[in-house]
């Protein structure tokens, strides 16, 4: 969603801000802008559309100066437009603000400020912050921001500059990430490490209600009471190349190809002696043994990873497991007791719905375990224990490698629960672990042989809808495959348990209608084939993901995509890969922006 970047130092700010905004593009946005102090005034340039349009609008002489803030906006309050783009300025144009999040009480604040004579020029919630700071300003920007923030209700990451205090950026946050760092030229602020990691790998992850004052000489930090503090510095150790495409045409393809590495890294060190080790889990084996119900919460792809885990936990540990979309969980009255384990899954670790669900679960007395990809993210910090998925930074909006990291992590957890509950013996656990590790090599095989996937993508030419069908774990895998197709190719793709087709959806089948089937699972294979026949008879173009050596499937499928033989429990890991590649191939054929699909944001930080 929205992105913030800021710089103050000895360099020209414009190029640094634009570079930061370009690295934030992956989050999804609809307008962009920068504000730079030129030694006299704050100059603001904003554009609806991509950062490239902002760059085109910026003349050589525009926005010169060494202190500035920039923003990519994903519209919430007020349509995507130039006037609603950030930075927003106060009446005097002396205060400029960029903001991530939502100011919930902006209407009341706006009314009060209007009565005091302030004139608004946008429809956004953010603009009230600029006017509020202006209203409270008595010659000390930090103090004005502190007073203003005490009046704000909602979520915010804010960076503010003031023409009367050259070279200074004041920053604060609540429920919206902010990272801050410095190099030998000056100080940087961003809502995401990726925007500043080329300048510094040592960053401060600002906490809620803390304040920072960035100047060319460094950054000072204050707690909510205004007392100076020494914050913890986090070293970012991921490879800087993750923020570059590394020779691939898009980040999604690069990230799909990273998946064997993600499996290996996620499993490294997890089998010690003969036991599964998840030290990060804050519960003792005895406490885990008391767990009699598991709730898994997440959104989108993370929710799908949870659905797969439900199957594995119930199979191996025999613990009843519920999986809920986080935005639903928190508005129900879930049955949570002290022996319930809540597992929150979130790639970004900042999804607002998932965070709200975590807080709700903890208030109800549950232990919450987080599975996330982002070190120090709110999900990591607000959970009782956390597993990091080792996917490294994921840039493409469509989750691929983080999904594989989530499924592998949850599989480990299911194995461990199986051991703790005494349902899996050592030999079974070791065998399962070894087969899980083998999926890395199996994914490599799939990635080397993609011709059938390209062929299958051609069956989508001129089509606007598709079904994805399978049974049991294959059905869940289809949900993830269909989500990928929808997200990046804009083909309306619906996933159904194969047996459900005849109860309604089959009415939509007509000549050439694409039906993608995951038909690898042993106990339900024959039934899935029968369901495929039902669609085929009505004209469907069948694309089947099948096990190597299965020649029977060719009788019903128009195109077969073979994957290596794998235990049913691990099939979602391998079968998801051709589904990711299929979605991407269809999107590329349709000329879609694979990495930054329309209307979507990488991190959904609003509820
Ligand atoms: C996946 O391709 C999507 N971009 C989306 O569904 C995503 O999984 C969802 O928004 C949850 O995000 P999170 O894992 O960062 O919490």
């Amino acid at each position: 969603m929205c992105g913030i970047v800021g710089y103050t130092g000895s360099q020209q700010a414009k190029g640094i801000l634009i570079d930061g905004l370009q690295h934030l593009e992956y989050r999804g946005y609809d307008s962009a802008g920068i504000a730079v102090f030129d030694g006299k005034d704050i100059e603001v340039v904003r554009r609806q559309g991509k950062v490239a349009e902002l760059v085109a609008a910026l003349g050589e002489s525009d926005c010169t100066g060494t202190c500035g803030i920039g923003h990519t906006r994903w519209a919430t309050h007020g349509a995507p437009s130039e006037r609603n783009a950030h930075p927003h300025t106060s009446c005097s144009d002396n205060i400029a603000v960029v903001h991530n999040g939502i100011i919930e009480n902006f209407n009341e604040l706006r009314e009060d400020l209007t009565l005091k004579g302030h004139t608004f020029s946008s429809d956004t919630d953010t603009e009230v912050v600029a006017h509020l700071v202006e209203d409270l300003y008595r010659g000390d920007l930090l103090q004005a921001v502190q007073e203003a923030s005490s009046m704000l209700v909602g979520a915010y990451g804010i960076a503010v500059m003031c023409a009367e205090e050259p070279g200074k950026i004041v920053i604060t946050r609540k429920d919206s990430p902010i990272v801050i760092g410095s190099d030998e030229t000056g100080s940087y602020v961003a809502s995401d490490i990726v925007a500043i990691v080329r300048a510094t790998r040592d960053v401060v992850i600002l906490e809620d209600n803390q304040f920072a004052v960035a100047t060319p000489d460094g950054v000072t930090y204050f707690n909510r009471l205004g007392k100076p503090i020494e914050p913890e510095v986090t070293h970012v150790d991921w490879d800087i190349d993750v923020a570059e495409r590394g020779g691939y045409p898009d980040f999604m393809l690069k990230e799909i190809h990273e998946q064997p590495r993600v499996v290996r890294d996620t499993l490294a060190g997890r089998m010690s002696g003969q036991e599964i080790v998840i030290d990060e889990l804050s519960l003792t084996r005895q406490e885990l043994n008391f767990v009699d119900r598991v709730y898994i919460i997440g959104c989108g792809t993370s929710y799908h990873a949870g659905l797969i885990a439900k199957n594995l936990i119930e199979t191996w540990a025999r613990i009843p497991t519920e999986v809920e979309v986080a935005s639903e969980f928190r508005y129900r009255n879930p049955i949570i007791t002290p022996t319930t384990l809540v597992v929150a899954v979130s790639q970004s670790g900042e999804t607002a719905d998932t965070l709200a669900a975590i807080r709700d679960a903890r208030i109800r007395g549950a232990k919450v375990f987080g599975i996330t990809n982002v070190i120090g993210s709110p999900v990591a910090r607000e959970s009782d224990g956390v597993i990091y998925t080792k996917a490294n930074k994921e840039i493409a909006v469509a989750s691929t490698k983080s999904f594989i990291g989530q499924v592998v992590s949850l599989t480990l957890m299911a194995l461990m629960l199986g051991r703790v509950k005494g349902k899996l013996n050592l030999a079974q656990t070791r065998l399962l672990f070894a087969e899980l590790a083998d999926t890395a090599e199996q994914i490599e095989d799939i990635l080397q042989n993609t011709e059938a996937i390209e062929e299958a993508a051609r069956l989508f030419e001129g089509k606007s809808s598709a079904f994805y069908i399978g049974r049991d774990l294959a059905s869940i895998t289809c949900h993830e495959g269909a989500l990928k197709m929808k997200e990046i190719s804009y083909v309306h793709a619906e996933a159904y348990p194969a047996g459900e087709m005849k109860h309604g959806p089959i009415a939509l089948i007509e000549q050439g209608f694409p039906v993608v089937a995951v038909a690898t699972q042993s106990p339900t294979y024959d039934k899935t084939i029968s369901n495929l026949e039902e669609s085929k008879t009505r004209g469907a173009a069948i694309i089947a993901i099948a096990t190597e050596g299965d020649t029977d499937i060719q009788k019903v499928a128009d195109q077969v995509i073979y994957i290596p033989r794998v235990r049913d429990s691990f099939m979602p890991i391998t079968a998801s890969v051709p589904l990711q590649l299929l979605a991407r191939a269809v999107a590329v054929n349709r000329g879609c922006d694979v990495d930054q699909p329309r209307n979507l944001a990488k991190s959904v930080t609003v509820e």
Side-chain angles (χ1 to χ4, degrees):
M1 289 199 144
C2 303
I4 287 175
V5 64
Y7 172 77
T8 177
S10 58
Q11 315 249 53
Q12 282 296 312
K14 179 165 69 176
I16 293 170
L17 298 178
I18 293 297
D19 180 70
L21 293 182
Q22 285 166 338
H23 283 95
L24 291 170
E25 286 192 290
Y26 80 98
R27 296 175 67 86
Y29 68 104
D30 43 55
S31 53
I34 61 171
V36 176
F37 181 68
D38 67 4
K40 194 162 152 280
D41 299 309
I42 295 175
E43 192 180 352
V44 178
V45 177
R46 310 178 291 187
R47 281 296 176 275
Q48 185 181 347
K50 297 282 183 192
V51 174
E53 283 160 60
L54 175 67
V55 173
L58 281 164
E60 280 297 309
S61 56
D62 287 334
C63 288
T64 53
T66 57
C67 177
I69 51 180
H71 193 261
T72 48
R73 173 177 187 253
W74 189 85
T76 55
H77 295 67
S81 66
E82 190 175 324
R83 68 192 286 270
N84 287 333
H86 301 210
H88 287 286
T89 48
S90 59
C91 298
S92 63
D93 289 332
N94 267 358
I95 306 281
V97 173
V98 288
H99 160 230
N100 284 1
I102 290 179
I103 306 298
E104 290 167 11
N105 60 337
F106 82 99
N107 267 327
E108 294 136 68
L109 292 170
R110 190 172 167 134
E111 277 168 26
D112 288 352
L113 288 159
T114 304
L115 285 175
K116 288 180 170 175
H118 289 262
T119 310
F120 286 78
S121 55
S122 79
D123 312 311
T124 64
D125 52 335
T126 300
E127 196 186 345
V128 297
V129 181
H131 292 278
L132 191 57
V133 172
E134 179 178 65
D135 205 62
L136 297 165
Y137 187 70
R138 307 278 180 273
D140 183 339
L141 183 60
L142 172 63
Q143 195 177 349
V145 173
Q146 283 170 330
E147 284 176 36
S149 65
S150 71
M151 297 166 71
L152 302 178
V153 176
Y156 49 84
I158 294 172
V160 189
M161 50 194 279
C162 172
E164 288 171 41
E165 297 185 46
K168 189 183 279 185
I169 303 173
V170 175
I171 307 129
T172 188
R173 62 154 274 178
K174 184 175 167 290
D175 295 337
S176 186
I178 289 283
V179 292
I180 298 169
S182 303
D183 69 2
E184 60 290 350
T185 75
S187 307
Y188 300 77
V189 56
S191 54
D192 185 324
I193 290 167
V194 76
I196 60 173
V197 72
R198 269 151 234 81
T200 177
R201 284 165 171 273
D202 295 310
V203 296
V204 169
I205 301 170
L206 202 67
E207 303 269 348
D208 277 353
N209 303 309
Q210 288 183 343
F211 298 83
V213 179
T215 69
D217 302 322
V219 188
T220 42
Y221 295 88
F222 303 88
N223 68 12
R224 67 175 71 212
L225 304 172
K227 294 240 158 55
I229 49 168
E230 276 299 322
E232 190 185 331
V233 175
T234 301
H235 184 71
V236 180
D237 60 0
W238 39 262
D239 185 350
I240 209 157
D241 287 347
V242 298
E244 312 296 342
R245 283 202 296 268
Y248 288 92
D250 46 74
F251 280 109
M252 185 180 180
L253 189 61
K254 175 181 176 245
E255 289 163 359
I256 288 171
H257 277 260
E258 286 177 55
Q259 293 177 123
R261 197 248 333 130
V262 175
V263 174
R264 292 189 179 106
D265 285 0
T266 306
L267 292 181
R270 293 300 185 184
M271 180 64 96
S272 164
Q274 303 202 314
E275 289 296 352
I276 302 284
V277 187
I278 310 181
D279 285 338
E280 306 92 320
L281 206 57
S282 53
L283 301 175
T284 62
R285 288 186 106 73
Q286 195 188 16
E287 283 173 312
L288 280 175
N289 196 18
F290 284 125
V291 170
D292 57 6
R293 182 194 293 267
V294 177
Y295 261 108
I296 304 177
I297 48 180
C299 304
T301 289
S302 300
Y303 167 72
H304 294 155
L307 290 174
I308 294 164
K310 168 186 166 72
N311 181 299
L312 304 182
I313 294 170
E314 291 187 341
T315 303
W316 293 334
R318 308 304 293 160
I319 305 175
T321 301
E322 312 260 357
V323 190
E324 283 222 12
V325 168
S327 55
E328 294 292 313
F329 175 88
R330 57 176 308 224
Y331 292 110
R332 287 202 318 109
N333 189 6
I335 301 170
I336 288 180
T337 68
T339 49
T340 304
L341 176 65
V342 173
V343 182
V345 187
S346 173
Q347 184 285 129
S348 61
E350 56 176 305
T351 298
D353 288 321
T354 307
L355 272 173
I358 290 174
R359 290 169 191 155
D360 189 65
R362 291 189 76 181
I363 287 169
R364 289 166 187 271
K367 282 272 185 195
V368 178
F369 194 66
I371 295 189
T372 182
N373 195 34
V374 180
I375 294 170
S377 60
V379 164
R381 286 188 295 166
E382 297 200 24
S383 299
D384 295 296
V386 64
I387 291 186
Y388 289 112
T389 46
K390 308 280 170 62
N392 276 351
K393 189 82 192 167
E394 189 173 67
I395 303 281
V397 164
S399 296
T400 53
K401 62 175 181 171
S402 65
F403 171 70
I404 295 299
Q406 289 168 348
V407 174
V408 172
S409 300
L410 287 161
T411 304
L412 279 172
M413 189 183 289
L415 286 174
M416 195 184 66
L417 288 171
R419 279 295 295 140
V420 167
K421 288 283 182 183
K423 306 288 182 196
L424 288 176
N425 64 33
L426 276 176
Q428 288 167 324
T429 310
R430 287 176 68 88
L431 177 66
L432 288 166
F433 186 88
E435 289 183 23
L436 176 61
D438 285 346
T439 60
E441 211 168 303
Q442 288 157 347
I443 295 172
E444 277 165 354
D445 285 353
I446 293 166
L447 292 173
Q448 274 163 25
N449 204 346
T450 58
E451 280 147 40
I453 297 170
E454 301 293 337
E455 287 298 320
R458 290 197 187 98
L459 295 173
F460 279 77
E461 264 166 37
K463 309 295 178 203
S464 54
S465 290
F467 282 133
Y468 280 60
I469 62 172
R471 282 169 178 259
D472 193 25
L473 276 169
S475 164
I476 300 165
T477 308
C478 283
H479 277 282
E480 176 57 12
L483 177 62
K484 293 287 90 91
M485 184 64 79
K486 275 186 280 228
E487 280 187 291
I488 61 169
S489 76
Y490 317 140
V491 170
H492 174 230
E494 285 303 321
Y496 279 98
E500 273 293 289
M501 287 292 283
K502 56 187 173 296
H503 297 289
I506 203 167
L508 289 173
I509 300 281
E510 54 189 12
Q511 201 57 38
F513 191 105
V515 172
V516 180
V518 176
T520 57
Q521 274 188 282
S522 18
T524 54
Y525 178 82
D526 292 342
K527 296 261 186 271
T528 305
I529 297 298
S530 301
N531 300 137
L532 285 178
E533 293 282 5
E534 290 156 11
S535 291
K536 174 88 177 162
T537 312
R538 288 159 178 86
I542 308 283
I543 297 158
I545 312 285
T547 306
E548 269 165 9
D550 174 5
T551 49
D552 287 350
I553 192 98
Q554 292 172 9
K555 293 181 200 141
V556 65
D558 295 85
Q559 183 66 53
V560 184
I561 301 167
Y562 284 111
I563 61 172
R565 180 170 296 282
V566 61
R567 180 186 290 269
D568 289 342
S569 302
F570 303 140
M571 173 275 297
I573 298 175
T574 52
S576 291
V577 179
L579 295 178
Q580 295 164 350
L581 289 166
L582 178 64
R584 181 188 169 276
V586 172
V588 169
N589 290 349
R590 290 164 66 95
C592 300
D593 184 338
V594 170
D595 286 338
Q596 291 170 35
R598 69 185 179 204
N599 302 341
L600 294 180
K602 183 67 181 162
S603 304
V604 183
T605 51
V606 293
E607 288 179 40

